[in-house]
Amino acid sequence: MVAACHSAAPAPALPVQVDGERIAFPAGSRQAEVLVSAPVAAAQATTIGVPGRLAWDDTRTARVFAAMGGQVAKIEAQPGDVVQAGQTLARIASPSFGEAQSERVRAEADLRQAGMQRRRARELHAAGVVATKDLEDSEAAYAHAQAEYARTQARAKLYGGGNGVDQDFPLRAPIAGVVVERRITPGQEVSPEQAQGDGPALFTISDPSRLWLLLDLPESAAGSVQAGRDVWFAVQGGDGSRIQATIEHVDDFVDADTRSVHLRASIDNAARTLKAGMYVHAEIASPARPGFDVPNAAVLLVDGRRVVFVDEGSGRYRRQDVRAAEVGGSRMHVDSGLADGERVVVGGALYLQQLIAAQAPR
């Protein structure tokens, strides 16, 4: 009975050993049971899903505003009309244009008057009646009148209109194309200041057979997509059919508001089934890169460094610096710091980091 009362007590658990970047658990440690490890997997090709929309091709689009203020008197083009460059879209009763017309008429009259005075001064100077200075003054006045006439003629050529003063300002198409939008009504007051705000253009002329696909790539995937990459998209609310395009441009900056990088592709819309303003969901194929894919939980950010814990077997673990980036799907791509065949801790990595942090000098 005395022997039974003094049976041997269980041996105390051995402590966890922490040595710099390495951790060793004693055999049979219950603390190590919370740790889950998995072999690193070679990186696979991935697909990045991004939102986007369809828009007019800006290289084939002109947004028309009024260069002269006034009241819309007549509209001569409707949505769907095919127009040529220089064709009149609307007419505006514009006092400002009337002033420009009157300037041209005055400049023409002043040039005629200056020409006659110059001829008279030349004749009188040749006869010795007027001094050389008077001739030079007439020559200078004529040169000034010529310059003013040239200026008013160039302005008239730019804005159009007849030779008289009728205040009839023609709003013309700057390019050939199709009138795809019209935001102008008879009697509406228009002004050049409208072009400086966020308001819609009076007319939009474009080529609907070509559209732009505009995509917003998340900042985390900015380095994984380059121009020339294929993209597939489907219109939201459509029949689910996918259309292929090729990325033509990747912005060199991140949008400060959306934290995304803008991508652009051109779309052949000869059938006119797609419409500008449609929202789409796109997928961009990203080929496999050298390196390994690991779960997000395996990578920790410690003092600005990304680290993983490598399972060396027999309860031994090593903290390893890696170079990693998000690839989506709760995975991270590691292209430096791991080797083929290694295992990393995918569950409990934070616990291992706490053990190392507890041993750090304070």
Side-chain angles (χ1 to χ4, degrees), residues 39-169:
V40 297
Q44 302 294 319
T46 59
T47 299
I48 305 172
V50 293
R53 62 186 177 87
L54 299 179
W56 303 122
D57 182 339
D58 276 352
T59 64
R60 302 168 181 235
T61 301
R63 294 169 177 83
V64 184
F65 294 89
M68 295 283 185
Q71 187 178 70
V72 178
K74 184 179 181 182
I75 297 174
E76 298 190 3
Q78 304 297 333
D81 288 355
V82 178
V83 296
Q84 301 301 317
Q87 182 173 332
T88 299
L89 305 174
R91 294 192 173 277
I92 299 171
S94 171
S96 299
F97 187 56
E99 292 178 7
Q101 289 176 313
S102 65
E103 282 185 5
R104 181 187 58 193
V105 174
R106 286 196 301 269
E108 186 176 2
D110 290 344
L111 179 61
R112 286 196 301 268
Q113 180 67 22
M116 289 187 295
Q117 291 177 350
R118 184 184 65 164
R119 286 194 300 271
R120 187 178 302 111
R122 285 179 174 179
E123 293 171 356
L124 294 175
H125 182 267
V129 176
V130 298
T132 301
K133 181 182 180 303
D134 294 332
L135 175 62
E136 292 173 347
D137 288 344
S138 67
E139 295 283 2
Y142 180 75
H144 177 79
Q146 272 189 317
E148 182 64 11
Y149 176 74
R151 181 188 71 83
T152 58
Q153 285 295 102
R155 190 180 188 190
K157 183 178 180 181
L158 177 64
Y159 296 125
N163 294 322
V165 181
D166 56 11
Q167 301 189 143
D168 182 18
F169 173 60

Side-chain angles (χ1 to χ4, degrees), residues 20-41:
E21 304 284 308
R22 297 178 179 275
I23 301 174
F25 291 90
S29 171
R30 297 183 63 86
Q31 293 170 286
E33 293 179 0
V34 301
L35 304 176
V36 179
S37 301
V40 297

Side-chain angles (χ1 to χ4, degrees), residues 18-320:
V18 180
D19 182 13
E21 304 284 308
R22 297 178 179 275
I23 301 174
F25 291 90
S29 171
R30 297 183 63 86
Q31 293 170 286
E33 293 179 0
V34 301
L35 304 176
V36 179
S37 301
V40 297
Q44 302 294 319
T46 59
T47 299
I48 305 172
V50 293
R53 62 186 177 87
L54 299 179
W56 303 122
D57 182 339
D58 276 352
T59 64
R60 302 168 181 235
T61 301
R63 294 169 177 83
V64 184
F65 294 89
M68 295 283 185
Q71 187 178 70
V72 178
K74 184 179 181 182
I75 297 174
E76 298 190 3
Q78 304 297 333
D81 288 355
V82 178
V83 296
Q84 301 301 317
Q87 182 173 332
T88 299
L89 305 174
R91 294 192 173 277
I92 299 171
S94 171
S96 299
F97 187 56
E99 292 178 7
Q101 289 176 313
S102 65
E103 282 185 5
R104 181 187 58 193
V105 174
R106 286 196 301 269
E108 186 176 2
D110 290 344
L111 179 61
R112 286 196 301 268
Q113 180 67 22
M116 289 187 295
Q117 291 177 350
R118 184 184 65 164
R119 286 194 300 271
R120 187 178 302 111
R122 285 179 174 179
E123 293 171 356
L124 294 175
H125 182 267
V129 176
V130 298
T132 301
K133 181 182 180 303
D134 294 332
L135 175 62
E136 292 173 347
D137 288 344
S138 67
E139 295 283 2
Y142 180 75
H144 177 79
Q146 272 189 317
E148 182 64 11
Y149 176 74
R151 181 188 71 83
T152 58
Q153 285 295 102
R155 190 180 188 190
K157 183 178 180 181
L158 177 64
Y159 296 125
N163 294 322
V165 181
D166 56 11
Q167 301 189 143
D168 182 18
F169 173 60
L171 189 64
R172 301 185 186 277
I175 64 172
V178 177
V179 177
V180 293
E181 293 182 55
R182 194 205 78 188
R183 302 293 182 88
I184 186 173
T185 56
Q188 177 181 344
E189 291 289 337
V190 297
S191 69
E193 287 73 23
Q194 291 173 323
Q196 301 173 4
D198 296 329
L202 303 180
F203 289 90
T204 301
I205 301 171
S206 189
D207 176 6
S209 67
R210 299 292 301 180
L211 295 176
W212 272 357
L213 171 64
L214 304 178
L215 303 174
D216 296 324
L217 181 69
E219 181 180 6
S220 59
S224 62
V225 177
Q226 298 81 33
R229 187 73 55 81
D230 287 337
V231 57
W232 289 264
F233 71 93
V235 175
Q236 293 184 10
D239 59 6
S241 59
R242 286 160 37 105
I243 302 170
Q244 182 179 354
T246 302
I247 295 173
E248 296 179 341
H249 175 76
V250 179
D251 275 358
D252 291 317
F253 65 94
V254 176
D255 187 290
D257 295 326
T258 63
R259 306 309 303 173
S260 62
V261 176
H262 300 311
L263 313 180
R264 187 187 73 230
S266 289
I267 307 299
D268 183 357
N269 189 38
R272 307 274 287 272
T273 55
L274 300 174
K275 309 298 180 184
M278 282 181 167
Y279 287 99
V280 304
H281 178 76
E283 293 182 344
I284 305 171
S286 180
R289 295 178 289 170
F292 307 94
D293 286 346
V294 298
N296 285 350
V299 182
L300 302 180
L301 185 63
V302 178
D303 297 329
R305 305 147 46 206
R306 292 190 186 275
V307 301
V308 299
F309 283 90
V310 178
D311 186 348
E312 296 181 328
S314 302
R316 291 176 289 114
Y317 299 88
R318 180 184 83 252
R319 188 171 70 176
Q320 176 66 47

